[in-house]
Amino acid sequence: MSDSEEHHFESKADAGASKTYPQQAGTIRKNGYIVIKNRPCKVVEVSTSKTGKHGHAKCHFVGIDIFTAKKLEDIVPSSHNCDVPHVNRTDYQLIDISEDGFVSLLTENGNTKDDLKLPTDDSLLTQIKDGFAEGKDLVVSVMSAMGEEQICALKDIGPK
Amino acid sequence: MQGFPERGGPGPGPGPNDLAHLQATMHTIELACASIQMHINPAAAEATILSLCQSPQPYKSCQFILENSQVPDARFQAAAAIRDAAIREWGFLTADDRRSLLSFCLSFVMQHASSNEGFVLAKVSSVAAQLMKRGWLDTTAVEKEAFFNQVNQAVLGIHGLDVQFTGVNFLESLVSEFSPSTSSAMGLPREFHEQCRRSLEIDYLKMFYCWARDAALSVTNRIVESKSEVPEVKVCNAALRLMLQILNWDFHLNNNSVKTSINVFSAGARLDIDSSKRSECTLVQPGPAWRDVLISSGHIGWLVNLYAALRQKFSREGYWLDCPIAVSARKLIVQFCSLTGTIFLSDNGQMHEHHLLQLLSGIIEWIDPPEAVAKAIGCGKSESEMLDGCRALLSIANVTTPFVFDRLLMSIRPFGTLTLLSTLMCEVVKVLMSTYPEEETWSWEARDILLDTWTALLVPLDSTGGNAMLPPEGINAAGNLFALIVESELKAASSALTDDVDGDYLQSSISAMDERLSSYALIARAAIHVAIPLLTKLFSERFARLNQGRGIIDPTETLEEVYSLLLIAGHVLADEGEGETPLVPYAIQTYFTDNMGADEHPVIVLSSSIIGFAEQSLDPKMRASVFSPRLLEAVIWFFARWSCTYLMNPEEVRETQSQDHQLQSQQLRKGLHSFFREHNQGKLVLDIIVRVSVTTLLSYPGEKDLQALTCYQLLHALVREKHICVHLVSLDSWRNLANAFANEKSLFLLDLAHQRSLAQTLVHSASGLINSEASNQYIRDLMGHMATYLRELSSKNDLKSVAQQPDIILLVSCVLERLRGVATASEPRTQKAIYELGFSVMNPILVLLEVYKHESAVVYLLLKFVVAWVNGQISYLEAHETAIVVDFCMRLLQLYSSHNIGKISVSLSSSLLSEAKTEKYKDLRALLQLLSSLCSKDMVDFSSDSIETQGTNISQVVYFGLHIVTPLISLDLLKYPKLCHDYFALLSHLLEVYPETVAQLNSEAFVHVLGTLDFGLHHQDAEIIDMCLRSLKALASYHYKETASGKTGLGLHAAGHKDSGGNLQEGILSQFLRSLLQLLLFEDYSPDLVGSAADALLPLILCEQGLYQRLGNELIERQANPTLRSRLVNALQSLISANQLSSTLDRINYQRFRKNLNNFLIEVRGFLRTM
């Protein structure tokens, strides 16, 4: 490996702490993530257009806020940088659902994590609660980005 | 829902009770019609009407309604009900019933001819036509004769104008019913429609035409003489329409008279390619039998005179340019222009020419003089006559050679037809220039028709590739026209700058523009000696303007002009290759023969000046001021197209040319070809092209469209030829590109798909290296870094946290896409290096699959790489390598499955949820493709030893894979058509090739697989059903053969068992026999499937004879009507016994059973489905 790419291939040691990363707008694709109006979004549509016939390309993004599901849009010249959120997902085993709407989760190192609230939306809530009530062994995936977290998926791992 | 109980068929006159009942029915239907009209509970009303259609033998009620109801809608519905019931019950109506229904309909229309509810009459008349057709093959000629006599009397006008009109209309419905494209479905095999069509064409069509002509003739004088509109016009118009319709008939008999049996599937497609230059244009070829009617009887003269007389009347009351009779007459005239084939004597085309001249002398009035016509339209005259004139020219162009076309007009005008065509089009272009860019006007349509005309004239007639040459006058006309076209395009280009064209619109208009440009190119090539110097001149003017005005004046207008010129020049100089190597266009090859010096050769001058211009884009200053992304797009497009034809054209000389041509063109080639060949300018030009390409990739960040053109069109085209690759790999510029690709950061910022394509291109270029060793080394150098990167990343301790960083995700995605690009470019020569490359990242792939299990975009890329790699490698692998790859694939499948099975995405956003589902679908499709690739190892294997030596059994591997994948495929996911298709393709392949392994699946997996099969049987797509039927056939015949030889076959699966609840579950074959019979007898499906259904049904019946008997008995018992019952008994009996059907599963037996099933279904499906 030559020196020039060393810099590129290895990420800086302190970069892990950053909540967002800059990335050229042209490289952001459908199904990727982007920050629009300071919200982390999943990109559901990208289109490029030109500014005038002999101008440069621009990207038009339609994103859906990964936490609130609100639709957001942005237009950025394709050679400029956009912020891309650092989206992390962690799996936890679901231990308990408390009355006040919090869940109790088992972390990898054996501790519990009790600060996560259940979603407020009814249908999501019932999906989680019903599964739990049936006594299945549930693993929940918790998605976190830019200081927020939310349950994004659940999975039955119990024996049949 | 109400029913309409009936008392038997049509009997003696209604008694008092009957009368009351009939009136009640009528009242109900009238009420339903009224409520539909007023939108009061339409569903219930529709159900009422439907129940009338579906009730057995509703004829008396319907006739009663038709005769007595005051509500036209009710009468309409009654007619529809007669049609539905009669078609359904036709099989068991007596001959008298049939006849009386038909004559009722016909006499109804005749009697009510003067009524003003046209739609009821039209409906009844079409019902009569359908009944006529349904019984066509059973009716004797004498009966038909008697029937048509009545119609003839009506058409001749004996019973007055209204009846005459009705008679003509009935014939129109009849002809349209017999024409395959407009016939209505009758639930009969295609052969039936085909036989009817033939019979009508042979025996009746010409007669109908004569009747229509006579009807029109009988009223012509009245029309011509009268001063204002007369009622006869209606009859004349109907007759003209009928004639037009008959001339639109797809005549077959004269074209393929040798054919002994009717091939119903290809009968619709015309095979006579030679005679039709353009597929869209329908030629009228009725054959010699029609000569007396259409040609020798002065028919054309009458028609042309009729229209001329109508033209005189246009100022009068009741007539205008677009009045129905004028429109019909013009359409008929245009249709006559397409008349061709054996109807004309083979007298060197004289008769044909005379015919066309006769037509043209009438048509010329519509379009000549063009200036005056265009002016009149500009002042508000309707353009339809002029457009019809253009269409007539198009039709004539389609049936003549350019010479004949040009000569036609000479006898009545001082100039030829080509000159007229050219002036006409010039006028149209002028109008276009003045109205551009407003919304679509008549001039657009006229331009398109006229362009088609030019194309029809200029496109090569024969396969030798020679363009049709024009007469000198025509060449000049084409030259003038091309100059004007270029002028108009340039004007359009520079003026279109101001308007904001919306992106979608632009995209859709590009293909239309492409077509237009290729027509322009044909015109330009017709006058090539003018066209190329003209383009050169225009280019150099604009280049000069750009250079002088740099930084002083706004170049946008000029840029836009250069853009258009590049597109035009590209089309004129070279053809679209579409994957083949296009030759230098014939016109260019043949024309410039006396131009010896390479520097003076017009094509070389033009090409060099464009290349020189493009080279300036390498200069950063020029790039900033002149080369906008859009302009460079045109340059790249031009390069791609041009280089396929001219760049380093291999040294072959075609032997197909005639002797003297060869001499000439060889000399030309010396000039033109060698100029851009290896030892001359070729390498220099190639270098420029590569450098410009690299510039577009490196210096235009984020310009996806431009880079897409470079990657997909230009670079792909360059590496397609090995002799170009040889030079490519020796160029410094190409090495720089490869180097930048491996190391440069900016190339990681390209679109992912572009990176993949670039990787593919670079690997392809390795074919230019001396030997396989060098090629393999080249690939190792190119991709080594990236493989190492993946390995290092996957072995990091903090991988889990690092991997989620967006920059790492981006990098991993890039590397995976590049790997995939390399994998798709697998060739025997580079196979070794690519295998090693994939082998070295196998473990990292599994690690990454684990880490990125929530990052669906990365997972998809991972899977796609593996699919591409396995697909490219599998057939070359040796046994031990195969074992490794197979093992790897299975681990991949299991890992993927363990992450995804039972997973539920939770999100507020419905669009995100549906995205998640789509992603899952794409993943699964990739996995199925992986399994299919593995499957192919059994079919194509280039390795030296058998894979069995390592104990790998492909069929077991694939079944095991299927076992892992199928639980992930829910019935919901099968709604994605592509996934569904892939899944069933794989399944039917597996079942057909390895039925023995299916028995080894555990019962849960087995039930799931067969559950999907059942789902597929009821799918919409006929192809899917077909695949399922093939699977069933394979399963059942396997079981039958095995058990016959004393083995277990499907064993427990077929035997039936008790489920956990203690209920007896039927064996799977029984279940399928049941559901297949249910499908065949009671549900809707395409008739094309009957064959494959028969193939599946036969082994099922043989396996489960007892059940078949039981099901048959159930059917019989359910049937109350004794006649139908006995029919059913007989039909069921002959299904399994007719045609000496035996109980073996060989080809002949399958064939016999197919026939039996067809007959069986025709016999019983009609009543089973309705009763």
Side-chain angles (χ1 to χ4, degrees):
Chain A
M1 247 186 252
S2 70
D3 287 350
S4 67
E5 69 198 301
E6 196 80 18
H7 161 73
H8 182 73
F9 277 23
E10 311 296 331
S11 61
K12 290 172 212 132
D14 61 330
S18 174
K19 285 174 187 163
T20 63
Y21 283 73
Q23 190 174 322
Q24 198 194 75
T27 63
I28 296 177
R29 296 174 310 140
K30 187 171 185 269
N31 289 338
Y33 295 99
I34 189 174
V35 178
I36 303 180
K37 306 203 171 71
N38 219 16
R39 296 291 308 162
C41 296
K42 181 156 184 168
V43 180
V44 288
E45 208 181 300
V46 192
S47 52
T48 41
S49 57
K50 296 206 175 98
T51 47
K53 281 209 163 167
H54 293 276
H56 292 279
K58 279 186 169 181
C59 295
H60 176 217
F61 296 105
V62 179
I64 292 185
D65 187 322
I66 52 177
F67 296 117
T68 66
K70 290 228 171 56
K71 195 178 195 178
L72 297 164
E73 299 189 40
D74 203 359
I75 293 186
V76 189
S78 64
S79 55
H80 288 208
N81 277 345
C82 285
D83 279 339
V84 175
H86 183 169
V87 181
N88 224 333
R89 291 191 200 69
T90 324
D91 287 352
Y92 301 101
Q93 181 146 4
L94 183 61
I95 308 174
D96 192 24
I97 298 180
S98 65
E99 289 300 314
D100 55 358
F102 281 90
V103 285
S104 174
L105 303 172
L106 184 66
T107 64
E108 222 171 29
N109 49 23
N111 297 329
T112 59
K113 174 180 167 66
D114 301 302
D115 58 346
L116 192 65
K117 239 186 145 165
L118 275 173
T120 44
D121 182 77
D122 278 339
S123 65
L124 308 189
L125 200 58
T126 40
Q127 275 185 18
I128 300 174
K129 278 190 168 166
D130 289 355
F132 188 69
E134 282 167 37
K136 289 178 185 158
D137 275 337
L138 287 184
V139 164
V140 296
S141 301
V142 175
M143 171 172 67
S144 63
M146 298 172 74
E148 284 183 65
E149 9 178 51
Q150 198 175 72
I151 294 176
C152 70
L154 58 151
K155 192 162 168 297
D156 179 9
I157 52 156
K160 288 193 183 125
Chain B
M1 208 211 294
Q2 283 168 277
F4 295 93
E6 286 282 337
R7 307 178 180 183
N17 278 346
D18 284 342
L19 195 64
H21 174 72
L22 290 175
Q23 257 159 355
T25 309
M26 177 168 93
H27 188 67
T28 323
I29 295 297
E30 283 175 354
L31 215 63
C33 289
S35 75
I36 284 188
Q37 254 181 351
M38 292 186 294
H39 286 285
I40 308 165
N41 202 354
E46 268 169 34
T48 313
I49 292 171
L50 197 65
S51 72
L52 177 67
C53 292
Q54 290 179 338
S55 58
Q57 311 230 342
Y59 311 112
K60 239 186 331 183
S61 310
C62 294
Q63 293 177 357
F64 185 80
I65 295 173
L66 274 169
E67 277 165 342
N68 296 302
S69 174
Q70 299 301 314
V71 183
D73 280 5
R75 279 183 274 160
F76 181 89
Q77 296 295 354
I82 291 187
R83 187 257 164 206
D84 285 357
I87 296 292
R88 183 180 67 225
E89 297 174 351
W90 194 262
F92 45 90
L93 287 179
T94 65
D96 280 344
D97 289 347
R98 296 172 183 176
R99 215 170 306 129
S100 77
L101 274 178
L102 179 57
S103 63
F104 169 80
C105 289
L106 201 67
S107 49
F108 180 88
V109 282
M110 296 303 174
Q111 276 163 23
H112 296 78
S114 53
S115 103
N116 47 11
E117 280 129 16
F119 72 104
V120 177
L121 287 186
K123 180 73 189 178
V124 178
S125 157
S126 101
V127 170
Q130 292 185 36
L131 296 182
M132 183 93 207
K133 180 173 175 184
R134 182 61 183 84
W136 188 258
L137 300 179
D138 315 324
T139 322
T140 62
V142 183
E143 279 176 290
K144 286 179 197 160
E145 186 108 348
F147 177 80
F148 280 126
N149 253 336
Q150 291 176 27
V151 180
N152 188 18
Q153 304 236 315
V155 171
L156 282 179
I158 293 172
H159 307 300
L161 279 177
D162 285 328
V163 177
Q164 193 175 17
F165 175 73
T166 318
V168 176
N169 264 351
F170 169 71
L171 287 179
E172 203 181 327
S173 327
L174 194 70
V175 172
S176 106
E177 199 52 57
F178 275 73
S179 172
S181 54
T182 47
S183 62
S184 25
M186 293 189 172
L188 290 173
R190 237 184 276 192
E191 280 87 351
F192 172 80
H193 295 276
E194 197 53 34
Q195 281 166 346
C196 287
R197 193 192 64 72
R198 266 175 77 95
S199 152
L200 193 79
E201 185 177 327
I202 298 174
D203 298 327
Y204 295 94
L205 209 53
K206 194 171 141 192
M207 186 170 88
F208 292 167
Y209 190 89
C210 294
W211 291 357
R213 182 196 58 189
D214 294 344
L217 279 175
S218 72
V219 293
T220 310
N221 284 341
R222 276 280 289 146
I223 296 174
V224 174
E225 282 160 14
S226 76
K227 301 242 181 295
S228 60
E229 196 188 15
V230 285
E232 279 82 358
V233 167
K234 193 169 124 179
V235 172
C236 189
N237 184 27
L240 289 175
R241 277 210 323 261
L242 176 57
M243 287 192 264
L244 176 66
Q245 194 195 19
I246 293 178
L247 285 184
N248 259 320
W249 183 268
D250 191 10
F251 291 97
H252 277 280
L253 294 177
N254 330 289
N255 305 337
N256 319 324
S257 47
V258 258
K259 238 191 230 170
T260 45
S261 69
I262 311 170
N263 179 353
V264 284
F265 297 105
S266 72
R270 283 173 176 278
L271 300 167
D272 43 350
I273 306 157
D274 298 344
S275 53
S276 68
K277 291 185 246 173
R278 288 172 61 82
S279 49
E280 302 108 85
C281 189
T282 47
L283 299 176
V284 185
Q285 297 172 300
W290 286 70
R291 191 177 301 140
D292 53 340
V293 184
L294 298 181
I295 308 292
S296 358
S297 64
H299 184 49
I300 305 290
W302 162 79
L303 180 63
V304 170
N305 288 336
L306 173 67
Y307 186 73
L310 287 175
R311 281 190 106 225
Q312 306 295 323
K313 292 174 188 288
F314 283 153
S315 48
R316 308 255 179 79
E317 199 188 333
Y319 295 99
W320 66 99
L321 208 53
D322 292 314
C323 69
I325 185 170
V327 172
S328 313
R330 279 201 306 266
K331 275 191 186 161
L332 193 57
I333 291 177
V334 172
Q335 188 71 4
F336 266 114
C337 292
S338 305
L339 199 62
T340 183
T342 47
I343 186 169
F344 298 107
L345 290 172
S346 43
D347 55 355
N348 252 337
Q350 279 175 14
M351 188 184 227
H352 194 177
E353 250 177 82
H354 178 250
H355 163 80
L356 289 175
L357 182 60
Q358 216 177 353
L359 287 164
L360 192 62
S361 61
I363 295 164
I364 190 80
E365 303 293 328
W366 313 352
I367 44 177
D368 188 61
E371 304 89 42
V373 173
K375 210 169 153 202
I377 296 175
C379 297
K381 190 185 169 199
S382 166
E383 71 275 9
S384 49
E385 194 184 47
M386 188 265 185
L387 288 178
D388 278 332
C390 297
R391 286 188 194 108
L393 286 181
L394 173 59
S395 301
I396 296 177
N398 267 306
V399 295
T400 54
T401 63
F403 265 107
V404 175
F405 183 80
D406 195 42
R407 199 166 59 204
L408 280 177
L409 200 60
M410 299 278 198
S411 56
I412 45 173
R413 288 282 191 281
F415 44 83
T417 327
L418 281 170
T419 313
L420 174 69
L421 181 62
S422 163
T423 13
L424 188 61
M425 184 143 176
C426 284
E427 279 311 312
V428 171
V429 171
K430 280 180 200 158
V431 175
L432 265 178
M433 275 203 275
S434 59
T435 57
Y436 214 85
E438 275 158 40
E439 76 281 18
E440 207 154 322
T441 55
W442 64 274
S443 47
W444 286 45
E445 199 178 347
R447 179 195 58 193
D448 288 349
I449 300 172
L450 291 173
L451 265 185
D452 281 351
T453 312
W454 280 106
T455 314
L457 286 169
L458 295 170
V459 153
L461 268 171
D462 42 19
S463 51
T464 54
N467 273 35
M469 297 303 281
L470 297 181
E473 197 196 342
I475 294 182
N476 286 337
N480 292 338
L481 178 60
F482 181 68
L484 193 69
I485 286 174
V486 173
E487 190 192 325
S488 92
E489 283 293 316
L490 289 183
K491 182 157 180 278
S494 52
S495 69
L497 268 180
T498 43
D499 58 313
D500 257 341
V501 191
D502 157 38
D504 291 343
Y505 172 75
L506 210 67
Q507 279 300 321
S508 66
S509 68
I510 279 176
S511 62
M513 179 157 155
D514 215 41
E515 201 176 303
R516 206 170 73 224
L517 286 173
S518 53
S519 303
Y520 290 166
L522 282 175
I523 299 174
R525 286 180 198 170
I528 195 79
H529 63 296
V530 199
I532 292 198
L534 173 73
L535 287 173
T536 315
K537 183 175 115 286
L538 292 173
F539 263 119
S540 48
E541 279 171 18
R542 271 144 195 92
F543 294 159
R545 207 184 299 163
L546 280 177
N547 276 327
Q548 285 162 8
R550 263 172 73 191
I552 310 166
I553 23 174
D554 178 21
T556 341
E557 212 166 280
T558 321
L559 289 183
E560 201 52 32
E561 287 178 357
V562 174
Y563 178 84
S564 293
L565 278 176
L566 279 170
L567 295 191
I568 296 175
H571 275 98
V572 173
L573 285 180
D575 286 318
E576 170 67 57
E578 284 163 359
E580 305 292 330
T581 311
L583 294 168
V584 176
Y586 188 72
I588 294 180
Q589 273 187 44
T590 46
Y591 197 83
F592 299 111
T593 45
D594 42 5
N595 253 314
M596 283 310 136
D599 298 340
E600 292 154 33
H601 194 296
V603 175
I604 295 180
V605 173
L606 179 58
S607 308
S608 308
S609 87
I610 295 176
I611 293 167
F613 171 67
E615 197 180 1
Q616 297 184 35
S617 71
L618 299 174
D619 169 20
K621 268 195 224 142
M622 270 304 273
R623 200 155 59 218
S625 61
V626 170
F627 286 90
S628 71
R630 180 171 147 91
L631 182 61
L632 213 50
E633 273 170 39
V635 170
I636 296 290
W637 175 86
F638 176 84
F639 273 162
R641 189 163 174 132
W642 178 88
S643 55
C644 281
T645 308
Y646 293 96
L647 189 66
M648 302 191 172
N649 212 322
E651 200 116 10
E652 43 90 50
V653 175
R654 280 181 304 152
E655 302 296 334
T656 46
Q657 301 271 317
S658 61
Q659 283 288 315
D660 48 31
H661 257 155
Q662 207 166 2
L663 255 180
Q664 287 181 350
S665 45
Q666 263 176 351
Q667 275 182 330
L668 154 98
R669 284 210 183 85
K670 251 183 214 141
L672 182 56
H673 284 200
S674 66
F675 189 73
F676 294 113
R677 195 172 294 140
E678 283 109 283
H679 309 297
N680 219 318
Q681 299 289 307
K683 213 167 162 181
L684 212 65
V685 174
L686 185 64
D687 187 49
I688 294 174
I689 292 179
V690 172
R691 273 157 55 211
V692 173
S693 313
V694 175
T695 311
T696 65
L697 298 179
L698 291 174
S699 311
Y700 287 84
E703 298 295 340
K704 281 187 197 170
D705 295 344
L706 173 61
Q707 287 155 354
L709 269 176
T710 307
C711 292
Y712 300 126
Q713 296 219 356
L714 181 55
L715 295 180
H716 267 204
L718 286 185
V719 297
R720 207 164 43 214
E721 300 280 344
K722 197 181 164 187
H723 64 271
I724 298 187
C725 288
V726 172
H727 293 280
L728 269 182
V729 288
S730 69
L731 285 177
D732 279 341
S733 50
W734 190 257
R735 274 196 290 271
N736 289 341
L737 174 64
N739 208 13
F741 178 76
N743 303 315
E744 194 96 34
K745 185 185 169 191
S746 55
L747 282 182
F748 279 96
L749 294 179
L750 290 182
D751 189 80
L752 285 183
H754 298 354
Q755 295 191 39
R756 187 199 327 151
S757 151
L758 203 53
Q760 201 182 359
T761 302
L762 285 166
V763 171
H764 274 311
S765 77
S767 65
L769 290 164
I770 314 164
N771 54 29
S772 142
E773 232 158 85
S775 306
N776 282 319
Q777 189 54 44
Y778 176 85
I779 289 167
R780 278 179 215 120
D781 293 344
L782 190 69
M783 298 304 296
H785 285 331
M786 295 170 218
T788 316
Y789 171 69
L790 280 191
R791 276 199 304 278
E792 284 176 5
L793 178 72
S794 65
S795 60
K796 275 191 176 170
N797 291 328
D798 56 347
L799 174 65
K800 236 180 158 179
S801 57
V802 175
Q804 305 298 336
Q805 287 169 207
D807 53 342
I808 302 292
I809 293 181
L810 178 66
L811 203 56
V812 169
S813 306
C814 290
V815 172
L816 286 173
E817 276 293 69
R818 289 167 171 217
L819 286 170
R820 180 176 158 202
V822 172
T824 51
S826 273
E827 278 169 29
R829 205 170 195 221
T830 49
Q831 181 263 331
K832 196 161 157 260
I834 296 175
Y835 172 73
E836 287 165 7
L837 182 68
F839 180 78
S840 71
V841 295
M842 273 186 347
N843 268 322
I845 294 279
L846 294 176
V847 174
L848 292 177
L849 189 64
E850 170 73 41
V851 171
Y852 285 113
K853 62 183 176 185
H854 294 301
E855 206 58 63
S856 54
V858 183
V859 169
Y860 182 65
L861 295 181
L862 280 164
L863 297 180
K864 284 307 267 188
F865 160 65
V866 176
V867 169
W869 182 62
V870 171
N871 189 32
Q873 297 292 319
I874 188 81
S875 45
Y876 301 106
L877 297 183
E878 300 295 331
H880 68 278
E881 294 169 334
T882 313
I884 296 171
V885 170
V886 162
D887 179 56
F888 165 66
C889 291
M890 289 306 125
R891 274 160 63 203
L892 184 86
L893 284 175
Q894 272 169 329
L895 197 58
Y896 180 86
S897 166
S898 73
H899 292 156
N900 288 284
I901 201 148
K903 181 171 162 185
I904 302 167
S905 299
V906 179
S907 171
L908 274 175
S909 156
S910 58
S911 68
L912 282 189
L913 282 178
S914 82
E915 281 297 324
K917 217 162 145 190
T918 311
E919 280 156 9
K920 212 165 164 193
Y921 138 72
K922 283 163 82 183
D923 287 353
L924 286 172
R925 188 153 177 255
L927 293 179
L928 288 178
Q929 284 165 353
L930 182 63
L931 290 178
S932 300
S933 309
L934 288 178
C935 248
S936 70
K937 180 71 176 171
D938 260 7
M939 312 284 149
V940 189
D941 190 354
F942 301 130
S943 67
S944 54
D945 51 354
S946 158
I947 52 165
E948 304 289 346
T949 53
Q950 293 282 320
T952 316
N953 181 338
I954 285 290
S955 72
Q956 274 174 358
V957 167
V958 176
Y959 266 109
F960 182 59
L962 200 63
H963 191 172
I964 302 174
V965 176
T966 43
L968 295 169
I969 301 180
S970 61
L971 293 186
D972 236 13
L973 277 171
L974 281 182
K975 284 174 190 152
Y976 288 92
K978 280 180 180 170
L979 179 69
C980 189
H981 189 271
D982 281 359
Y983 175 75
F984 284 110
L986 181 65
L987 195 63
S988 66
H989 174 82
L990 284 176
L991 286 172
E992 279 178 285
V993 185
Y994 318 109
E996 66 282 357
T997 18
V998 81
Q1000 297 164 6
L1001 284 176
N1002 70 27
S1003 71
E1004 197 181 337
F1006 192 79
V1007 166
H1008 185 89
V1009 167
L1010 294 179
T1012 56
L1013 210 55
D1014 194 50
F1015 170 85
L1017 269 184
H1018 298 93
H1019 204 269
Q1020 300 284 323
D1021 187 348
E1023 208 179 330
I1024 299 218
I1025 305 181
D1026 187 57
M1027 290 189 283
C1028 290
L1029 290 171
R1030 268 167 36 209
S1031 314
L1032 271 187
K1033 174 193 174 190
L1035 259 184
S1037 57
Y1038 165 75
H1039 182 70
Y1040 181 69
K1041 282 176 185 160
E1042 289 287 288
T1043 43
S1045 60
K1047 293 176 202 153
T1048 51
L1050 293 176
L1052 278 179
H1053 299 308
H1057 59 277
K1058 286 200 171 156
D1059 68 5
S1060 50
N1063 304 316
L1064 187 70
Q1065 287 282 330
E1066 269 186 322
I1068 52 113
L1069 293 177
S1070 315
Q1071 287 170 26
F1072 277 114
L1073 178 60
R1074 209 182 271 276
S1075 79
L1076 187 57
L1077 274 178
Q1078 172 76 20
L1079 173 78
L1080 280 173
L1081 291 175
F1082 299 106
E1083 286 164 39
D1084 290 314
Y1085 52 87
S1086 147
D1088 299 343
L1089 289 167
V1090 174
S1092 24
D1095 290 353
L1097 190 59
L1098 177 62
L1100 281 175
I1101 290 179
L1102 291 178
C1103 288
E1104 301 286 339
Q1105 297 206 3
L1107 179 68
Y1108 173 71
Q1109 296 296 349
R1110 244 187 9 254
L1111 290 174
N1113 288 337
E1114 272 173 35
L1115 271 181
I1116 294 166
E1117 274 160 30
R1118 262 191 281 167
Q1119 196 52 253
N1121 184 327
T1123 21
L1124 299 185
R1125 192 175 188 159
S1126 70
R1127 266 175 70 145
L1128 190 58
V1129 172
N1130 290 338
L1132 280 169
Q1133 186 53 39
S1134 58
L1135 174 63
I1136 48 167
S1137 58
N1139 281 329
Q1140 301 108 41
L1141 194 77
S1142 64
S1143 60
T1144 52
L1145 289 178
D1146 50 20
R1147 232 172 83 82
I1148 301 170
N1149 220 27
Y1150 275 121
Q1151 262 173 7
R1152 286 176 187 153
F1153 189 72
R1154 260 181 244 168
K1155 251 183 232 155
N1156 287 357
L1157 184 66
N1158 243 325
N1159 294 335
F1160 173 75
L1161 289 176
I1162 291 173
E1163 187 75 9
V1164 301
R1165 208 170 116 87
F1167 66 82
L1168 278 181
R1169 285 205 69 190
T1170 49
M1171 309 221 161

